[in-house]
Amino acid sequence: PICSQRPEMTNRKIAAEALSLLLRQSLAGRYSLSLFDVRKTVTGGRAIINSISEYEKTTGERLSSRPEGFTVKSGSLSLIFYDDRIQSRERINWTLAHELGHVCLRHTSDGKREESEANRFAAAFLMPEDVLRFLDCSLGRELTPTEMTHYFPVSLTAAKRRRYSLPSDGTAPTPEGIELVRRLFGSSYGSETAISHLII
């Protein structure tokens, strides 16, 4: 019998899942997202994040090859592990955001489609489009990738990929995106006039 494959998730759906998780976090203030440590993500009981060193210590098992990150399912709970020998905070953030993508998007395999979706989730989680569009409008031009690294907890490479992958015309902001912008930039940005600037 031929198995029907699940259709690839749309960017809109993936972004909605990322925003839903972001709104669970205690983010408030212009630079709170840039200081966000993904290791401390509140997952609502869906996942626990820990280091590979802790995994090895607890299980007594030494990993022959040390991946940057991986996820183990334990019933309804996902255990996410990351390589704590990585020096780059931005690399750890991306690795964990990618693994959280697998969890939040309910992946059951690691095929090319799932990897692509997890990467798109990581980009939407670490660099939400509605926040980026708001910053663009506030500045009166598109932020450069270098400027993006001041607002988002990512590497320059990740910022470049995100900047150049977004369509230039933008999309209408979502209620969740508007709420995140309010949290980051204050209630003064809650007016309809200010929020309308999110639409480019």
Side-chain angles (χ1 to χ4, degrees):
I2 298 173
C3 296
S4 59
Q5 285 193 330
R6 173 184 64 79
E8 189 166 359
M9 295 183 77
T10 64
N11 286 336
R12 192 95 173 157
K13 172 68 175 166
I14 291 171
E17 291 291 337
L19 280 170
S20 175
L21 183 58
L22 266 177
L23 288 173
R24 286 181 174 270
Q25 314 312 310
S26 298
L27 297 170
R30 178 177 291 266
Y31 295 104
S32 61
L33 197 53
S34 70
L35 300 172
F36 182 52
D37 184 343
V38 181
R39 291 174 297 183
K40 298 176 181 175
T41 301
V42 175
T43 65
R46 296 172 77 176
I48 295 174
I49 297 172
N50 211 332
S51 69
I52 290 176
S53 293
E54 195 61 34
Y55 170 84
E56 291 179 331
K57 181 179 171 184
T58 302
T59 63
E61 176 188 346
R62 272 277 191 251
L63 300 182
S64 54
S65 65
R66 199 174 176 106
E68 289 192 10
F70 64 94
T71 300
V72 176
K73 286 286 285 181
S74 177
S76 61
L77 183 66
S78 294
L79 307 174
I80 298 174
F81 297 96
Y82 66 94
D83 186 353
D84 45 320
R85 295 183 306 188
I86 296 173
Q87 297 298 309
S88 166
R89 178 181 79 98
E90 293 79 14
R91 188 68 207 167
I92 289 173
N93 280 343
W94 182 270
T95 297
L96 290 175
H98 176 95
E99 294 301 321
L100 284 166
H102 285 306
V103 172
C104 292
L105 302 177
R106 298 168 186 82
H107 289 159
T108 56
S109 64
D110 276 336
K112 285 184 179 179
R113 175 178 295 168
E114 288 79 10
E115 289 301 300
S116 170
E117 290 176 351
N119 279 333
R120 285 185 282 149
F121 178 95
F125 184 68
L126 297 172
M127 297 168 279
E129 180 177 357
D130 288 339
V131 174
L132 179 53
R133 300 291 188 190
F134 178 83
L135 290 167
D136 288 345
C137 288
S138 298
L139 194 61
R141 61 171 174 78
E142 288 188 350
L143 267 73
T144 66
T146 299
E147 290 169 328
M148 287 171 63
T149 63
H150 299 300
Y151 290 96
F152 304 108
V154 298
S155 67
L156 181 58
T157 300
K160 284 179 179 176
R161 284 188 186 139
R162 181 63 163 163
R163 176 84 274 173
Y164 303 128
S165 70
L166 289 174
S168 58
D169 56 353
T171 56
T174 63
E176 295 80 10
I178 290 170
E179 174 59 26
L180 183 59
V181 168
R182 284 187 176 129
R183 290 187 191 183
L184 296 177
F185 299 98
S187 58
S188 61
Y189 294 102
S191 69
E192 290 305 312
T193 304
I195 293 302
S196 70
H197 291 303
L198 277 167
I199 305 173
I200 300 175

